[in-house]
Amino acid sequence: MTIRAIRGAITLDRDERDHLHARTTELVEAIMRENALTTDQLVSVLFTCTPDIVSDFPAAAARELGLGAVPLMCAQEMAVPGALPRVVRVMMHVDVDRAREDIVHIYLHGAVALRRDLAQ
C-alpha cells in the first residue's frame, strides 16, 4: 500500500451554502477524475477554508457525493493579510500505486494563482 497526498483548491464567487457545495463538488470530482480514483482508495480528506467562508462545511458537500464513510475534516486557514479570499483547499490522502510525480493536483478558478506550477 502506498499513501499519496493530493492537493487542490478552488475559489468561491460568494459565501453561500449552495455555491460552496457546487464548487466543493467540482473540486472533489475533478481530483477523483484526473487521478482515476475510486471512493475505496480514499484514506482521508482534509478541507480548509479561508476565514471569510462561514456558510457551511465543505465536508457536508463531500458527504453528499457519497464520501460519508471516508474520514473528513474541516479547518480554517490562517488569516494572512492580502491572501486570496474565499478559497477552499483540500488534501486527499489516497491509497494508490503511483509515483509521486504522477499525481495530478487540481487548482480551479481563481485558485490557479496559488500554484501555477501545478494547475492544469
Side-chain angles (χ1 to χ4, degrees):
M1 171 159 71
T2 303
I3 302 297
R4 298 287 184 214
I6 302 174
R7 290 290 318 271
I10 196 165
T11 52
L12 306 183
D13 297 327
R14 60 197 172 281
D15 180 27
E16 182 180 276
R17 182 186 180 279
D18 290 342
H19 184 59
L20 169 66
H21 281 233
R23 288 286 172 96
T24 301
T25 297
E26 180 182 357
L27 177 60
V28 170
E29 287 179 342
I31 290 171
M32 300 284 289
R33 180 181 61 252
E34 295 302 317
N35 288 283
L37 297 172
T38 66
T39 304
D40 288 339
Q41 292 173 290
L42 301 181
V43 176
S44 64
V45 181
L46 172 64
F47 292 97
T48 65
C49 293
T50 50
D52 51 3
I53 298 175
V54 297
S55 60
D56 202 2
F57 300 99
R63 280 192 296 278
E64 290 175 1
L65 277 173
L67 304 186
V70 178
L72 306 171
M73 181 175 278
C74 295
Q76 188 177 77
E77 284 285 332
M78 297 170 42
V80 176
L84 188 63
R86 295 181 309 279
V87 179
V88 174
R89 291 175 174 86
V90 65
M91 182 180 296
M92 278 188 187
H93 297 99
V94 299
D95 177 10
V96 292
D97 289 322
R98 199 172 307 155
R100 191 180 310 266
E101 57 271 10
D102 294 333
I103 296 296
V104 180
H105 305 279
I106 303 293
Y107 291 81
L108 302 172
H109 300 285
V112 168
L114 297 172
R115 292 297 304 261
R116 292 192 188 282
D117 59 322
L118 296 178
Q120 297 283 310

